[in-house]
Amino acid sequence: MTPNPFLQLVQARHSVRGFLDTPVADHDLHDVLEHARLAPSGANLQPGSFVHVKGAVRDALSANLVRAWQGGLAEVEDYDYFPKPMPMTLRRRQVAAAQALYGALGVARDDRAGRDAQFERNFRFFDAPVALVVTMEHGFGSGGYMDLGMTLYGLMLAAQAKGLATCAIGALASYPSLIRQHLGLNTSSVIVCGIALGYADPAATVNQTRTTRCELNDYFKVVG
Ligand SMILES: Cc1cc2nc3c(=O)[nH]c(=O)nc-3n(C[C@H](O)[C@H](O)[C@H](O)COP(=O)(O)O)c2cc1C
């Protein structure tokens, strides 16, 4: 059977955390965003916005995020991400994802400094040429996050189709007030996550990270 180009894109996409310095042309970024925005949404509300953070604003934001994280600053997050408490099946998946990442880097389980060094890179948007902060209008319930999630996946696949790579950065959601301050936003903007986007560095060992998925019968059943 002829390979389907869309399915090949879906299979090829993975999170990339090491980027070349090669800049991303504005028209390519805009094209990716416009394709992402073709995602469906309930009542076509199209929740969410993207802030392209550049130059001195990006530098100051990253510096302050790193400082906040190193200093153990704890902010109240705009929304909950992980179930509390985390059921064991989900915890196992989380641990496997971490092992895939740190395994690719050769960072041992007890190497706190090595893990911290990688975690800190979240706040530098993995040094990607494009740093995006994803926001959503305050007040949306779970449906809004569902809609925005579709847009985010659309963005990842549109980027992939143009030879670009991405990594979502949920870690940014830990510092919503700090981010709003740097971006000149008020509390009507929920800080959802960041996105690092650019051309993957083939020499970066971190990009060898590969995750697996659970089996079909773990999440699909037939009734009737
Ligand atoms: C909403 C969201 C937030 C994420 N946040 C982070 C993050 O803060 N740091 C990171 O290194 N990876 C982050 N990731 C990447 C996930 O770890 C990754 O998607 C998952 O392990 C599956 O791997 P894959 O994207 O390579 O298929 C995030 C992904 C999503 C969808």
Side-chain angles (χ1 to χ4, degrees):
M1 212 163 60
T2 323
N4 178 292
F6 176 73
L7 297 183
Q8 285 179 316
L9 275 183
V10 171
Q11 284 162 20
R13 186 217 59 83
H14 59 92
S15 293
V16 160
R17 301 174 180 87
F19 295 88
L20 299 174
D21 291 338
T22 314
V24 176
D26 277 348
H27 63 85
D28 282 326
L29 176 61
H30 299 168
D31 199 32
V32 165
L33 289 166
E34 283 170 355
H35 279 90
R37 203 61 165 193
L38 295 178
S41 59
N44 203 22
L45 292 188
Q46 306 163 62
S49 300
F50 297 85
V51 184
H52 184 184
V53 192
K54 298 171 78 168
V57 177
R58 174 173 171 176
D59 293 343
L61 172 63
S62 284
N64 275 337
L65 284 169
V66 168
R67 203 168 299 136
W69 174 69
Q70 286 176 343
L73 178 79
E75 282 195 25
V76 177
E77 300 187 4
D78 285 347
Y79 69 101
D80 289 328
Y81 196 102
F82 295 117
K84 291 182 191 106
M86 183 90 92
M88 202 32 97
T89 41
L90 298 184
R91 174 76 189 134
R92 274 194 215 103
R93 292 179 196 172
Q94 184 184 35
V95 168
Q99 279 170 347
L101 173 63
Y102 295 116
L105 285 165
V107 170
R109 203 189 170 93
D110 57 357
D111 179 358
R112 186 82 222 170
R115 285 177 171 240
D116 283 356
Q118 175 59 26
F119 197 78
E120 189 182 303
R121 301 194 62 239
N122 281 297
F123 302 120
R124 302 190 193 284
F125 296 86
F126 303 112
D127 300 308
V130 174
L132 298 173
V133 170
V134 183
T135 68
M136 186 159 68
E137 299 83 347
H138 177 78
F140 269 103
S142 309
Y145 289 90
M146 181 163 66
D147 290 345
L148 183 53
M150 290 191 248
T151 299
L152 294 179
Y153 192 37
L155 183 154
M156 290 173 187
L157 292 178
Q160 183 80 24
K162 294 172 83 71
L164 289 158
T166 55
C167 187
I169 312 174
L172 294 197
S174 299
Y175 301 106
S177 299
L178 193 154
I179 294 173
R180 274 192 285 270
Q181 202 183 317
H182 279 266
L183 304 188
L185 301 171
N186 62 35
T187 50
S188 65
S189 295
V190 168
I191 302 300
V192 179
C193 65
I195 303 267
L197 183 145
Y199 295 96
D201 179 355
T205 50
V206 70
N207 291 339
Q208 288 165 14
T209 307
R210 290 295 180 281
T211 53
T212 58
R213 298 295 184 269
C214 51
E215 299 295 328
L216 182 73
N217 61 14
D218 287 332
Y219 58 90
F220 176 70
K221 67 177 176 181
V222 180
V223 177

